[in-house]
Amino acid sequence: MTMIGDDLQQVKNRIAKACAAEGRSASEVRLLAVSKTFGPEAVRAAFEAGQRAFGENYVQEGLEKIEALADLRDQLEWHCIGPLQSNKTRPVAANFDWVHSVDRLKIAERLSDQRPAGLPPLQVCLQVNVDGGANKSGVPPEEALALARAVAALPHLTLRGLMAIPEPAPDFAAQREVCLRARAVFDQIRAAGIALDTLSLGMSGDLEAAVSAGSTMVRIGTAIFGAR
Ligand SMILES: *Cc1c(COP(=O)(O)O)cnc(C)c1O
């Protein structure tokens, strides 16, 4: 197996172990391979090792990789996970399958309007700012439900869930505490009758805490592709 194949397997083992510790089934947590800064050949190697879902932070870089891997387009799922400016929504709506970083209605409306006819609805998560940092992207938790209602009503989007990027925390307990804030918002929106199935939470350094808090999709870069 390639090195990427070995690293993918180790990440899957971590997910399985973290799920087992919570009495969860490993099939409840999807693995998104974050390929930002790595070239199309790294994505191809991960594909050959069985990985199908890939996350990109930077729109232009993602578009170039999607183009370079056009021969695999039908078999890959491309997720946009980085901050999204309104002047970049059109190519994202046309080329990605998922967007995790919707944090205001204007962006969601543009993505819905610009989703090409003939493609399935764009799958979206709302990014929630669970740290309260004023300069971080993400909708404040207290505004998430209203945004979820508005986004769920847009015709060419399917609202799937929430995404959060907690600040690095020193240990498992602290990581889990902040992850649970995202989980609480997720539960609140579901309790209001909006059917979410995705909690996009957890990176290479806090995967176990995120799974413990209820993540259903971990976004892993470094542990698969190496240091950036
Ligand atoms: C880079 C990035 C990741 C992956 O982080 P690693 O620590 O390399 O696993 C996950 N989510 C987002 C939003 C990122 O920008």
Side-chain angles (χ1 to χ4, degrees):
M1 224 189 313
T2 62
M3 241 158 61
I4 285 176
D6 289 341
D7 290 343
L8 264 173
Q9 190 54 52
Q10 281 186 21
V11 169
K12 288 181 196 167
N13 294 346
R14 280 176 67 187
I15 294 171
K17 206 172 155 194
C19 284
E22 294 295 324
R24 301 181 64 192
S25 157
S27 64
E28 292 174 36
V29 180
R30 289 192 70 196
L31 172 57
L32 180 65
V34 177
S35 43
K36 68 179 179 210
T37 79
F38 291 91
E41 66 289 346
V43 173
R44 196 178 289 277
F47 170 80
E48 281 163 6
Q51 181 64 25
R52 294 293 178 267
F54 293 89
E56 289 288 334
N57 270 63
Y58 311 104
V59 172
Q60 193 52 40
E61 181 193 340
L63 293 172
E64 285 167 18
K65 238 170 274 180
I66 292 169
E67 173 67 28
L69 294 162
D71 59 312
L72 301 179
R73 185 65 190 90
D74 292 350
Q75 297 171 79
L76 297 183
E77 198 177 88
W78 287 102
H79 295 233
C80 174
I81 62 174
L84 197 47
Q85 307 299 323
S86 53
N87 63 351
K88 295 279 179 58
T89 53
R90 188 176 295 280
V92 169
N95 290 283
F96 283 83
D97 302 297
W98 283 66
V99 176
H100 291 224
S101 41
V102 171
D103 64 357
R104 52 197 194 277
L105 185 57
K106 182 185 172 196
I107 294 287
E109 286 171 341
R110 289 176 67 91
L111 290 170
S112 182
D113 289 345
Q114 295 168 347
R115 182 68 169 170
L119 289 184
L122 188 63
Q123 309 296 299
V124 304
C125 293
L126 307 182
Q127 183 176 347
V128 181
N129 180 352
V130 287
D131 298 300
N135 55 2
K136 270 192 69 175
S137 37
V139 62
E142 61 275 15
E143 295 170 23
L145 175 58
L147 181 59
R149 284 195 207 286
V151 170
L154 295 172
H156 305 298
L157 305 183
T158 299
L159 178 62
R160 296 294 296 270
L162 302 182
M163 185 270 258
I165 313 174
E167 291 291 342
D171 55 40
F172 177 87
Q175 290 172 352
R176 185 169 186 275
E177 196 275 325
V178 62
C179 286
L180 282 171
R181 285 186 232 154
R183 168 65 185 273
V185 181
F186 183 72
D187 288 347
Q188 178 211 10
I189 294 173
R190 296 218 301 182
I194 298 173
L196 306 183
D197 65 7
T198 301
L199 184 55
S200 166
L201 193 62
M203 317 204 312
S204 295
D206 65 354
L207 179 166
E208 285 79 8
V211 168
S212 169
S215 169
T216 70
M217 193 184 291
V218 292
R219 308 178 309 268
I220 307 297
T222 310
I224 296 172
F225 296 106
R228 290 182 294 272

